[in-house]
Amino acid sequence: MPSLLANDSKEKIIVYSNGRKVKRQLKDNEVDKGERGIYNTKNKLNDLTGKEWTFFINSVHMTDFTKNEEEFRLWKYLQESIIETKYTTNGDDSLGHNLRKMHPSPKPPQLMKDLIAFFTKSGGWILDPFMGVGGTLLGASLLENRNAVGIDLEKKYIEIYNKVCKQENLKQQLAICEDSRNILTIEQIKNKIFDLILTDPPYADMLSKRRTGGDRKDKGAFTKDERDLGNVPYEQFFIEFRQIIEKSVSRLKNKGYLVIFCKDMQPTKKHHNMLHADIVNEICKIPNAHFKGYKIWYDKTINLYPYGYPFSYVSNQLHQFILIFCKE
Ligand SMILES: C[S@@+](CC[C@H](N)C(=O)[O-])C[C@H]1O[C@@H](n2cnc3c(N)ncnc32)[C@H](O)[C@@H]1O
């Protein structure tokens, strides 16, 4: 949210965190607080403006004590640090994002490359049983001498991946259109042993549900296929997901790593919805799969919104968990 440019009594130009400027009239319950932003007099929780509220509800609390604190909290600084990203979505470094954006949640190939570089050596084989448009496979091709195999139910995602390889002049890895429940019987990879499983699965029917915090864009499910784990109810999802991962792990070398992306959902009164904790519990039921810890990916391309203002706390989830298991 906002950074102000004009200070007319009732009219203000608001600059959002993505740089969009909107000129609008202040409402009766809104008070112009200058550089601090706009205060809503219905705020019963604190004395913060929408801009200050938005700064706080970022799930990653940023501190930089080398800077003057007031200066740090000014929107301009926040805006710069949020918008700036290592992984741009256009230009030469976007790695085919123009095509990959047809998928609801493509992962940045550069991020996957960093993970593959840590968890494999030259010549290594990587498996992604939920490849989408190929973030993992592209990441493997950005490194010297890595081989990857991806599986996805949806033919159009595999076609997009193949087009991206051609457009970006990257080595085309093996992309298979299949239900990953059948992973052990897929002819092309029968008896293949992998050095790393790196995957970003769908999480039950969360994409098709309207979300409040973190990502308001309701892009719909990945596919309409009932075999899609993204169309399976929450409880059933865990059992089916574990079964697929257990089959995949049977093809992982001893001391090989299993790395899973996961983003929590907003909590409800019924459940905390810390998906990452539920996933760790479930995967630890697989014999030989040991949880080793996690990394947090702070995606600076996600916009901040003043969720909940001025009534209650709602988290703006800008981070995802990268859960790390080892077969031992
Ligand atoms: C979160 S997306 C993966 C995105 C990917 N990381 C990328 O960079 O594009 C999960 C994918 O799993 C696929 N999927 C869901 N259920 C599946 C199943 N049973 N077998 C194979 N793929 C499945 C969906 O079609 C979707 O593309």
Side-chain angles (χ1 to χ4, degrees), residues 132-153:
V133 286
T136 301
L137 274 60
L138 293 164
S141 298
L142 291 174
L143 286 161
E144 290 243 327
N145 198 17
R146 298 299 197 283
N147 310 291
V149 176
I151 303 169
D152 203 285
L153 273 180

PDB file of all heavy atoms in Angstrom, residues 132-153:
ATOM      1  N   GLY A 132       4.560 -29.555 -13.401  1.00  0.00           N
ATOM      2  CA  GLY A 132       3.939 -28.338 -13.941  1.00  0.00           C
ATOM      3  C   GLY A 132       4.595 -27.967 -15.266  1.00  0.00           C
ATOM      4  O   GLY A 132       4.778 -28.798 -16.151  1.00  0.00           O
ATOM      5  N   VAL A 133       5.005 -26.680 -15.382  1.00  0.00           N
ATOM      6  CA  VAL A 133       5.650 -26.237 -16.622  1.00  0.00           C
ATOM      7  C   VAL A 133       7.171 -26.290 -16.489  1.00  0.00           C
ATOM      8  O   VAL A 133       7.893 -25.635 -17.245  1.00  0.00           O
ATOM      9  CB  VAL A 133       5.159 -24.838 -17.048  1.00  0.00           C
ATOM     10  CG1 VAL A 133       3.752 -24.919 -17.619  1.00  0.00           C
ATOM     11  CG2 VAL A 133       5.193 -23.839 -15.886  1.00  0.00           C
ATOM     12  N   GLY A 134       7.626 -27.039 -15.483  1.00  0.00           N
ATOM     13  CA  GLY A 134       9.026 -27.449 -15.508  1.00  0.00           C
ATOM     14  C   GLY A 134      10.057 -26.595 -14.785  1.00  0.00           C
ATOM     15  O   GLY A 134      11.220 -26.605 -15.175  1.00  0.00           O
ATOM     16  N   GLY A 135       9.673 -25.905 -13.710  1.00  0.00           N
ATOM     17  CA  GLY A 135      10.664 -25.124 -12.947  1.00  0.00           C
ATOM     18  C   GLY A 135      11.883 -25.964 -12.582  1.00  0.00           C
ATOM     19  O   GLY A 135      13.035 -25.545 -12.769  1.00  0.00           O
ATOM     20  N   THR A 136      11.634 -27.198 -12.097  1.00  0.00           N
ATOM     21  CA  THR A 136      12.743 -28.079 -11.684  1.00  0.00           C
ATOM     22  C   THR A 136      13.587 -28.498 -12.888  1.00  0.00           C
ATOM     23  O   THR A 136      14.821 -28.464 -12.850  1.00  0.00           O
ATOM     24  CB  THR A 136      12.183 -29.348 -10.998  1.00  0.00           C
ATOM     25  OG1 THR A 136      11.418 -28.947  -9.869  1.00  0.00           O
ATOM     26  CG2 THR A 136      13.277 -30.296 -10.576  1.00  0.00           C
ATOM     27  N   LEU A 137      12.899 -28.881 -13.953  1.00  0.00           N
ATOM     28  CA  LEU A 137      13.625 -29.386 -15.132  1.00  0.00           C
ATOM     29  C   LEU A 137      14.474 -28.277 -15.762  1.00  0.00           C
ATOM     30  O   LEU A 137      15.608 -28.503 -16.193  1.00  0.00           O
ATOM     31  CB  LEU A 137      12.640 -29.950 -16.156  1.00  0.00           C
ATOM     32  CG  LEU A 137      12.223 -31.418 -15.951  1.00  0.00           C
ATOM     33  CD1 LEU A 137      11.556 -31.646 -14.617  1.00  0.00           C
ATOM     34  CD2 LEU A 137      11.323 -31.911 -17.068  1.00  0.00           C
ATOM     35  N   LEU A 138      13.904 -27.060 -15.783  1.00  0.00           N
ATOM     36  CA  LEU A 138      14.661 -25.938 -16.346  1.00  0.00           C
ATOM     37  C   LEU A 138      15.851 -25.612 -15.444  1.00  0.00           C
ATOM     38  O   LEU A 138      16.948 -25.317 -15.921  1.00  0.00           O
ATOM     39  CB  LEU A 138      13.757 -24.709 -16.492  1.00  0.00           C
ATOM     40  CG  LEU A 138      12.642 -24.861 -17.534  1.00  0.00           C
ATOM     41  CD1 LEU A 138      11.574 -23.793 -17.355  1.00  0.00           C
ATOM     42  CD2 LEU A 138      13.224 -24.800 -18.949  1.00  0.00           C
ATOM     43  N   GLY A 139      15.618 -25.695 -14.134  1.00  0.00           N
ATOM     44  CA  GLY A 139      16.710 -25.450 -13.174  1.00  0.00           C
ATOM     45  C   GLY A 139      17.857 -26.423 -13.418  1.00  0.00           C
ATOM     46  O   GLY A 139      19.037 -26.051 -13.396  1.00  0.00           O
ATOM     47  N   ALA A 140      17.501 -27.702 -13.691  1.00  0.00           N
ATOM     48  CA  ALA A 140      18.536 -28.713 -13.959  1.00  0.00           C
ATOM     49  C   ALA A 140      19.316 -28.350 -15.223  1.00  0.00           C
ATOM     50  O   ALA A 140      20.538 -28.510 -15.293  1.00  0.00           O
ATOM     51  CB  ALA A 140      17.889 -30.089 -14.111  1.00  0.00           C
ATOM     52  N   SER A 141      18.603 -27.840 -16.222  1.00  0.00           N
ATOM     53  CA  SER A 141      19.268 -27.512 -17.495  1.00  0.00           C
ATOM     54  C   SER A 141      20.129 -26.256 -17.392  1.00  0.00           C
ATOM     55  O   SER A 141      20.953 -26.008 -18.276  1.00  0.00           O
ATOM     56  CB  SER A 141      18.225 -27.339 -18.610  1.00  0.00           C
ATOM     57  OG  SER A 141      17.541 -28.550 -18.792  1.00  0.00           O
ATOM     58  N   LEU A 142      19.920 -25.471 -16.348  1.00  0.00           N
ATOM     59  CA  LEU A 142      20.772 -24.283 -16.165  1.00  0.00           C
ATOM     60  C   LEU A 142      22.133 -24.665 -15.590  1.00  0.00           C
ATOM     61  O   LEU A 142      23.047 -23.846 -15.537  1.00  0.00           O
ATOM     62  CB  LEU A 142      20.093 -23.273 -15.226  1.00  0.00           C
ATOM     63  CG  LEU A 142      18.845 -22.584 -15.779  1.00  0.00           C
ATOM     64  CD1 LEU A 142      18.183 -21.733 -14.697  1.00  0.00           C
ATOM     65  CD2 LEU A 142      19.195 -21.722 -16.977  1.00  0.00           C
ATOM     66  N   LEU A 143      22.234 -25.920 -15.118  1.00  0.00           N
ATOM     67  CA  LEU A 143      23.506 -26.387 -14.567  1.00  0.00           C
ATOM     68  C   LEU A 143      24.197 -27.287 -15.582  1.00  0.00           C
ATOM     69  O   LEU A 143      23.558 -27.854 -16.459  1.00  0.00           O
ATOM     70  CB  LEU A 143      23.243 -27.191 -13.292  1.00  0.00           C
ATOM     71  CG  LEU A 143      22.844 -26.372 -12.075  1.00  0.00           C
ATOM     72  CD1 LEU A 143      22.177 -27.266 -11.043  1.00  0.00           C
ATOM     73  CD2 LEU A 143      24.059 -25.684 -11.459  1.00  0.00           C
ATOM     74  N   GLU A 144      25.488 -27.461 -15.414  1.00  0.00           N
ATOM     75  CA  GLU A 144      26.237 -28.364 -16.289  1.00  0.00           C
ATOM     76  C   GLU A 144      25.892 -29.800 -15.934  1.00  0.00           C
ATOM     77  O   GLU A 144      25.887 -30.166 -14.753  1.00  0.00           O
ATOM     78  CB  GLU A 144      27.735 -28.176 -16.038  1.00  0.00           C
ATOM     79  CG  GLU A 144      28.254 -26.857 -16.527  1.00  0.00           C
ATOM     80  CD  GLU A 144      29.279 -27.019 -17.627  1.00  0.00           C
ATOM     81  OE1 GLU A 144      30.012 -28.009 -17.579  1.00  0.00           O
ATOM     82  OE2 GLU A 144      29.311 -26.142 -18.506  1.00  0.00           O
ATOM     83  N   ASN A 145      25.589 -30.574 -16.930  1.00  0.00           N
ATOM     84  CA  ASN A 145      25.517 -32.016 -16.769  1.00  0.00           C
ATOM     85  C   ASN A 145      24.588 -32.517 -15.661  1.00  0.00           C
ATOM     86  O   ASN A 145      25.008 -33.237 -14.760  1.00  0.00           O
ATOM     87  CB  ASN A 145      26.947 -32.545 -16.532  1.00  0.00           C
ATOM     88  CG  ASN A 145      27.035 -34.034 -16.797  1.00  0.00           C
ATOM     89  OD1 ASN A 145      26.144 -34.606 -17.444  1.00  0.00           O
ATOM     90  ND2 ASN A 145      28.075 -34.663 -16.287  1.00  0.00           N
ATOM     91  N   ARG A 146      23.332 -32.068 -15.707  1.00  0.00           N
ATOM     92  CA  ARG A 146      22.314 -32.638 -14.817  1.00  0.00           C
ATOM     93  C   ARG A 146      21.218 -33.218 -15.699  1.00  0.00           C
ATOM     94  O   ARG A 146      20.927 -32.704 -16.792  1.00  0.00           O
ATOM     95  CB  ARG A 146      21.684 -31.599 -13.891  1.00  0.00           C
ATOM     96  CG  ARG A 146      22.634 -30.914 -12.922  1.00  0.00           C
ATOM     97  CD  ARG A 146      23.291 -31.892 -11.972  1.00  0.00           C
ATOM     98  NE  ARG A 146      23.863 -31.252 -10.821  1.00  0.00           N
ATOM     99  CZ  ARG A 146      25.008 -30.578 -10.789  1.00  0.00           C
ATOM    100  NH1 ARG A 146      25.726 -30.424 -11.890  1.00  0.00           N
ATOM    101  NH2 ARG A 146      25.458 -30.054  -9.667  1.00  0.00           N
ATOM    102  N   ASN A 147      20.586 -34.293 -15.211  1.00  0.00           N
ATOM    103  CA  ASN A 147      19.521 -34.962 -15.965  1.00  0.00           C
ATOM    104  C   ASN A 147      18.266 -34.958 -15.096  1.00  0.00           C
ATOM    105  O   ASN A 147      18.351 -35.308 -13.913  1.00  0.00           O
ATOM    106  CB  ASN A 147      19.906 -36.417 -16.245  1.00  0.00           C
ATOM    107  CG  ASN A 147      21.295 -36.504 -16.839  1.00  0.00           C
ATOM    108  OD1 ASN A 147      21.510 -36.090 -17.975  1.00  0.00           O
ATOM    109  ND2 ASN A 147      22.250 -36.999 -16.053  1.00  0.00           N
ATOM    110  N   ALA A 148      17.154 -34.577 -15.688  1.00  0.00           N
ATOM    111  CA  ALA A 148      15.940 -34.517 -14.879  1.00  0.00           C
ATOM    112  C   ALA A 148      14.788 -35.223 -15.574  1.00  0.00           C
ATOM    113  O   ALA A 148      14.731 -35.300 -16.807  1.00  0.00           O
ATOM    114  CB  ALA A 148      15.570 -33.063 -14.601  1.00  0.00           C
ATOM    115  N   VAL A 149      13.878 -35.729 -14.731  1.00  0.00           N
ATOM    116  CA  VAL A 149      12.651 -36.350 -15.237  1.00  0.00           C
ATOM    117  C   VAL A 149      11.487 -35.702 -14.512  1.00  0.00           C
ATOM    118  O   VAL A 149      11.493 -35.594 -13.283  1.00  0.00           O
ATOM    119  CB  VAL A 149      12.641 -37.871 -14.955  1.00  0.00           C
ATOM    120  CG1 VAL A 149      11.320 -38.488 -15.404  1.00  0.00           C
ATOM    121  CG2 VAL A 149      13.819 -38.570 -15.621  1.00  0.00           C
ATOM    122  N   GLY A 150      10.500 -35.252 -15.290  1.00  0.00           N
ATOM    123  CA  GLY A 150       9.316 -34.637 -14.690  1.00  0.00           C
ATOM    124  C   GLY A 150       8.072 -35.383 -15.119  1.00  0.00           C
ATOM    125  O   GLY A 150       8.009 -35.948 -16.218  1.00  0.00           O
ATOM    126  N   ILE A 151       7.073 -35.378 -14.222  1.00  0.00           N
ATOM    127  CA  ILE A 151       5.797 -36.029 -14.534  1.00  0.00           C
ATOM    128  C   ILE A 151       4.686 -35.034 -14.240  1.00  0.00           C
ATOM    129  O   ILE A 151       4.710 -34.357 -13.202  1.00  0.00           O
ATOM    130  CB  ILE A 151       5.595 -37.295 -13.659  1.00  0.00           C
ATOM    131  CG1 ILE A 151       6.758 -38.271 -13.857  1.00  0.00           C
ATOM    132  CG2 ILE A 151       4.260 -37.966 -13.961  1.00  0.00           C
ATOM    133  CD1 ILE A 151       6.770 -39.412 -12.854  1.00  0.00           C
ATOM    134  N   ASP A 152       3.729 -34.931 -15.148  1.00  0.00           N
ATOM    135  CA  ASP A 152       2.532 -34.128 -14.878  1.00  0.00           C
ATOM    136  C   ASP A 152       1.351 -34.736 -15.615  1.00  0.00           C
ATOM    137  O   ASP A 152       1.503 -35.298 -16.702  1.00  0.00           O
ATOM    138  CB  ASP A 152       2.712 -32.668 -15.311  1.00  0.00           C
ATOM    139  CG  ASP A 152       1.761 -31.748 -14.551  1.00  0.00           C
ATOM    140  OD1 ASP A 152       0.551 -31.735 -14.864  1.00  0.00           O
ATOM    141  OD2 ASP A 152       2.223 -31.048 -13.626  1.00  0.00           O
ATOM    142  N   LEU A 153       0.193 -34.618 -14.989  1.00  0.00           N
ATOM    143  CA  LEU A 153      -1.049 -35.133 -15.570  1.00  0.00           C
ATOM    144  C   LEU A 153      -1.457 -34.378 -16.812  1.00  0.00           C
ATOM    145  O   LEU A 153      -2.108 -34.930 -17.692  1.00  0.00           O
ATOM    146  CB  LEU A 153      -2.195 -34.881 -14.566  1.00  0.00           C
ATOM    147  CG  LEU A 153      -2.505 -35.855 -13.476  1.00  0.00           C
ATOM    148  CD1 LEU A 153      -3.673 -35.303 -12.663  1.00  0.00           C
ATOM    149  CD2 LEU A 153      -2.894 -37.209 -14.074  1.00  0.00           C
TER     150      LEU A 153
END
